[in-house]
Amino acid sequence: MATIKDVAALAGISYTTVSHVLNKTRPVSEQVRQKVEAAIVELDYVPSAVARSLKARSTATIGLLVPSSVNPYFAELARGIEDACERNGYCVILCNSDDNPQKQRSYLRVLLEKRIDGLVVASVGEDSDLLQSLAGVRTPMVVVDRELEGVDADLVRIDHEHGAYLATQHLLALGHRDIAYIGGPADTGVTQLRLRGFHRAMAEAQAPVHSDRVLHCDFTSPGGHAAAAQVLHGRRPTAIFAGNDMIGFGVLRAAAERNINVPGELSVIGFDDIELSRYVYPPLTTVGQSIRELGESAASLLLARIGTPRQGMAEQRIVAPRIVLRESTGPRPDLFNDYR
């Protein structure tokens, strides 16, 4: 691989002059500039980003740590972050931890060793060692999706509790009273907030919540499918609130396997409004906000912090959710009107 000294030798000038041409740190004649550019093309020379970053004290690189890039939510979030960073001259290093605490800590160490200018952390699991590591990070950082206890960082997230409240209210307004909730892992903050919103809406409507109507699983379609198989066995509810859209997809599959018409016999509502929710059958009614816009908001906040280091309290941007009406919810079927 060609070096800056090779370019200088071919152009017949000093390598410091080549550096001035590349970095635009000192005026050079047009003739010299053309010699340098011709040598660069002939040698296929690529300037060292590491050397530039050491001189500029900036790598123009953002680290993004997500638990699962397979989950469409995080894929859409990453795209929003990447788009905003690209527009501002930054590249993004994506690290997918597969919900593995050891991988999360390892990736965090790698990102910091690369001297990233900023870090976006999206919904890490309940890992006390990682939280301790993040608490010691001095690199500008934004947390997306949920607050991390003990980590002093800016936060961008949707209002999980209010979103769940709106979802449950929607089902209640359609006449449903026997509503099941299938949420993510019970020990995660996101699940707890969404479950709280569900309970609040049910309590206000004086609708009972039976213990067998609240289930927990992974935030995945297989998890939702397995949980729905339990709740749809025997006397089934008239509606299911899925803790995210991926769980909702699993619920729809479980209903189809049992020849349960959605929404004629069973209403299903999800959470997040990922793009795929428009294309399943039936299209999934859900609660959410533009995930890409959420990512762009996180990136813009981080870039602002990089430009002007934060002083004082961390900023929180809580995004208001909205109901996205599609075809998976409908009025309570008369067959189940007698259940209280």
Side-chain angles (χ1 to χ4, degrees):
M1 181 179 292
T3 68
I4 190 172
K5 290 185 177 180
D6 296 328
V7 174
L10 182 60
I13 57 178
S14 70
Y15 77 89
T16 54
T17 301
V18 175
S19 177
H20 291 317
V21 173
L22 292 172
N23 299 304
K24 299 179 180 179
T25 50
R26 183 178 298 176
V28 297
S29 69
E30 180 63 20
Q31 182 180 11
V32 169
R33 185 183 64 78
Q34 290 179 0
K35 284 184 178 181
V36 171
E37 291 178 350
I40 288 173
V41 171
E42 182 173 341
L43 294 172
D44 195 22
Y45 169 70
V46 179
S48 170
V50 174
R52 283 185 169 185
S53 67
L54 289 174
K55 186 172 183 178
R57 296 185 179 181
S58 170
T59 59
T61 303
I62 301 299
L64 172 57
L65 185 60
V66 302
S68 174
S69 58
V70 175
N71 187 325
Y73 175 87
F74 294 110
E76 292 179 34
L77 183 73
R79 183 57 185 268
I81 292 169
E82 183 182 14
D83 287 348
C85 287
E86 191 274 335
R87 289 196 301 268
N88 288 276
Y90 284 79
C91 65
V92 177
I93 300 176
L94 172 63
C95 294
N96 170 43
S97 69
D98 292 319
D99 287 310
N100 183 316
Q102 186 174 352
K103 284 185 70 174
Q104 288 179 144
R105 293 191 295 272
S106 176
Y107 275 137
L108 175 63
R109 184 167 56 252
V110 168
L111 289 172
L112 295 178
E113 286 174 354
K114 290 185 178 297
R115 299 184 181 276
I116 54 174
D117 292 339
L119 176 65
V120 181
V121 181
S123 192
V124 296
E126 299 298 326
D127 178 9
S128 58
D129 289 338
L130 179 66
L131 295 181
Q132 184 176 0
S133 298
L134 288 172
V137 170
R138 294 295 172 261
T139 301
M141 177 169 47
V142 172
V143 174
V144 184
D145 202 36
R146 68 182 180 89
E147 189 172 2
L148 300 179
E149 186 176 353
V151 177
D152 184 25
D154 295 313
L155 172 68
V156 177
R157 70 169 176 86
I158 198 167
D159 191 333
H160 299 290
E161 181 177 351
H162 187 60
Y165 177 79
L166 291 177
T168 310
Q169 272 198 325
H170 171 66
L171 296 175
L172 290 166
L174 291 170
H176 298 281
R177 290 298 181 272
D178 184 11
I179 304 172
Y181 172 82
I182 302 178
D187 60 349
T188 63
V190 168
T191 296
Q192 292 167 6
L193 287 170
R194 293 180 184 180
L195 184 57
R196 188 184 304 168
F198 168 74
H199 278 297
R200 179 158 63 91
M202 294 291 281
E204 288 181 4
Q206 297 183 335
V209 179
H210 302 281
S211 59
D212 62 345
R213 295 310 198 212
V214 176
L215 294 87
H216 295 281
C217 63
D218 294 333
F219 280 119
T220 63
S221 295
H225 180 266
Q230 295 181 51
V231 80
L232 294 176
H233 181 72
R235 191 179 184 91
R236 61 179 182 257
T238 65
I240 295 177
F241 171 25
N244 75 349
D245 290 342
M246 297 299 290
I247 293 174
F249 298 163
V251 173
L252 291 178
R253 174 60 185 250
E257 291 172 347
R258 290 158 179 77
N259 295 316
I260 299 171
N261 180 270
V262 177
E265 297 175 272
L266 176 72
S267 286
V268 181
I269 189 169
F271 200 118
D272 284 335
D273 190 26
I274 64 176
E275 188 172 356
L276 283 175
S277 62
R278 304 181 181 105
Y279 301 106
V280 295
Y281 185 80
L284 185 67
T285 296
T286 185
V287 179
Q289 187 56 268
S290 170
I291 302 171
R292 284 197 184 187
E293 289 181 11
L294 200 68
E296 293 202 10
S297 178
S300 65
L301 179 55
L302 180 62
L303 295 176
R305 291 305 185 198
I306 292 171
T308 306
R310 176 173 55 79
Q311 298 178 354
M313 298 293 291
E315 181 177 339
Q316 291 195 5
R317 293 183 182 178
I318 310 300
V319 180
R322 67 181 189 277
I323 292 281
V324 182
L325 292 175
R326 296 197 179 99
E327 298 171 28
S328 67
T329 53
R332 178 182 63 177
D334 292 338
L335 180 61
F336 301 103
N337 278 351
D338 60 344
Y339 189 88
R340 295 293 178 183

